[in-house]
Amino acid sequence: MLLSVVIPTFNNERVLRECLDRWRRFGGDGIEIIVVEDGCKDGTPALLAEVGATPWGQRHLRCLHQDDAHELRCTNAGIAAARGQFVMAWQDDMFLRAPWLVPEVRATFDAYPELGMLSLSRGLDCVPLDEPIERWEDLIDSRRLRSTIGPAPGNWFRLQEVDIVIRPWIVRRACLERVGPLDEAFRPTEWDEADLACRIRQAGWKVATCGYERLRAYAHLGSTTIGTRPPQSYLDKVLRNGRLFHQRWDAIIAQEHSRSRRTWRRQSTVSGWAATARQLTHAAARVIWPART
């Protein structure tokens, strides 16, 4: 088994059905899908039994049960059960769209042994800022945290080294065996994957990103609501976790932020490069003929 895809889920039956169907259609062989069902009260258990009974499900689907563990602990449960050389942290509202994505990321890790972790959306670079973190907004201050997929136009054709990542991401099993899984001090979620990325970099591997969502390799429903402010109770937990991250890593951030960051050429297939050309054409058309308002 080469790639283990870990998908925590809670009471999201309809969306999870679509998620699993996309992996069935576009995931190919050499994958296992590990759904971690977190005490669902809807039809999710029945759905998993239904899909698991199909020929595809018997070959590729594994199901775990948790009770109100939340995303971090569910992901760790999937990591512990994973049999692949690589582990992907996926979400149930992410829909795979392209059969070339899995072969490309496999080829990428094969080509670049120094690469330990890869984000499929965008990464973040951390910048030292000598100001207190008092509010959630301070964590995402652009002077402290910079979102990136690398400078254009090269970012259509290459991976960009970054400091930390956001979901979805793929990590080598060797990295997890060396530094451990997500730290449950960050439960229920948020900043856990940033901490993992820093531990992987300190162990000697590189962390990178590529804009595969922009390339339409997958779609994320959550991306359509990213501007919606979460409840204050959730933001308070994020603030706590963000402070913990900075307590651990600010000294390293200050030492390393000015380093040059590497790039790597994408290891795409013919269909992947064709998809890139189509998206480039669409992007250029939007610039030349912007939509009228």
Side-chain angles (χ1 to χ4, degrees):
M1 188 64 64
L2 184 60
L3 176 65
S4 299
V5 182
V6 178
I7 309 175
T9 191
F10 176 71
N11 286 356
N12 208 13
E13 175 192 359
R14 181 184 60 81
V15 173
L16 177 63
R17 181 182 292 276
E18 180 69 14
C19 175
L20 293 177
D21 186 61
R22 295 301 186 94
W23 277 104
R24 179 189 63 80
R25 292 165 59 190
F26 301 124
D29 294 323
I31 63 168
E32 64 172 2
I33 309 298
I34 303 174
V35 176
V36 186
E37 177 266 309
D38 195 19
C40 295
K41 309 301 184 196
D42 62 356
T44 296
L47 166 65
L48 294 176
E50 172 193 332
V51 176
T54 66
W56 178 85
Q58 291 173 3
R59 292 194 307 272
H60 298 288
L61 180 63
R62 299 172 61 199
C63 303
L64 304 178
H65 173 76
Q66 296 284 301
D67 283 310
D68 197 30
H70 296 282
E71 185 174 45
L72 189 160
R73 285 176 166 170
C74 285
T75 303
N76 273 352
I79 288 172
R83 298 176 295 204
Q85 298 168 262
F86 305 94
V87 180
M88 176 186 286
W90 197 257
Q91 291 174 322
D92 61 8
D93 65 344
M94 295 174 176
F95 302 151
L96 189 63
R97 304 179 68 169
W100 53 262
L101 177 62
V102 172
E104 175 167 333
V105 296
R106 287 175 180 167
T108 296
F109 279 101
D110 287 344
Y112 307 121
E114 70 276 18
L115 187 63
M117 189 178 199
L118 174 65
S119 171
L120 306 184
S121 56
R122 59 180 53 245
L124 301 159
D125 287 335
C126 301
V127 182
L129 181 63
D130 190 19
E131 292 184 11
I133 298 173
E134 297 177 341
R135 306 171 303 148
W136 169 76
E137 290 83 359
D138 296 331
L139 291 170
I140 58 173
D141 188 324
S142 60
R143 297 174 298 164
R144 175 177 276 123
L145 195 64
R146 297 174 183 169
S147 175
T148 185
I149 53 175
N155 56 24
W156 291 91
F157 309 103
R158 65 192 182 205
L159 285 64
Q160 174 68 43
E161 181 183 355
V162 293
D163 294 345
I164 60 177
V165 301
I166 60 175
R167 285 172 174 80
W169 43 261
I170 303 175
V171 63
R172 291 184 188 270
R173 171 177 289 281
C175 293
L176 298 171
E177 291 173 348
R178 175 76 176 274
V179 308
L182 299 167
D183 189 338
E184 295 192 3
F186 292 91
R187 64 185 188 276
T189 189
E190 299 278 3
W191 292 93
D192 50 323
E193 55 207 356
D195 175 78
L196 178 60
C198 287
R199 286 187 279 134
I200 288 171
R201 292 197 300 107
Q202 288 301 295
W205 283 280
K206 300 291 186 181
V207 174
T209 193
C210 185
Y212 288 113
E213 186 175 16
R214 179 184 65 170
L215 288 164
R216 296 176 66 84
Y218 72 97
H220 184 194
L221 289 184
S223 298
T224 64
T225 59
I226 198 166
T228 303
R229 183 185 176 91
Q232 188 60 46
S233 59
Y234 181 84
L235 296 181
D236 290 342
K237 295 174 184 176
V238 175
L239 177 59
R240 179 201 66 200
N241 287 356
R243 284 172 168 167
L244 174 59
F245 171 83
H246 283 282
Q247 289 167 8
R248 288 185 177 182
W249 296 106
D250 272 356
I252 300 297
I253 291 169
Q255 292 173 10
E256 296 185 348
H257 80 282
S258 60
R259 76 187 189 282
S260 60
R261 287 166 173 78
R262 286 191 55 182
T263 60
W264 298 264
R265 183 180 179 274
R266 284 176 54 201
Q267 299 295 301
S268 198
T269 62
V270 171
S271 57
W273 288 126
T276 301
R278 289 194 297 272
Q279 295 310 309
L280 265 171
T281 301
H282 294 160
R286 288 193 296 269
V287 172
I288 297 172
W289 298 292
R292 295 189 178 185
T293 59

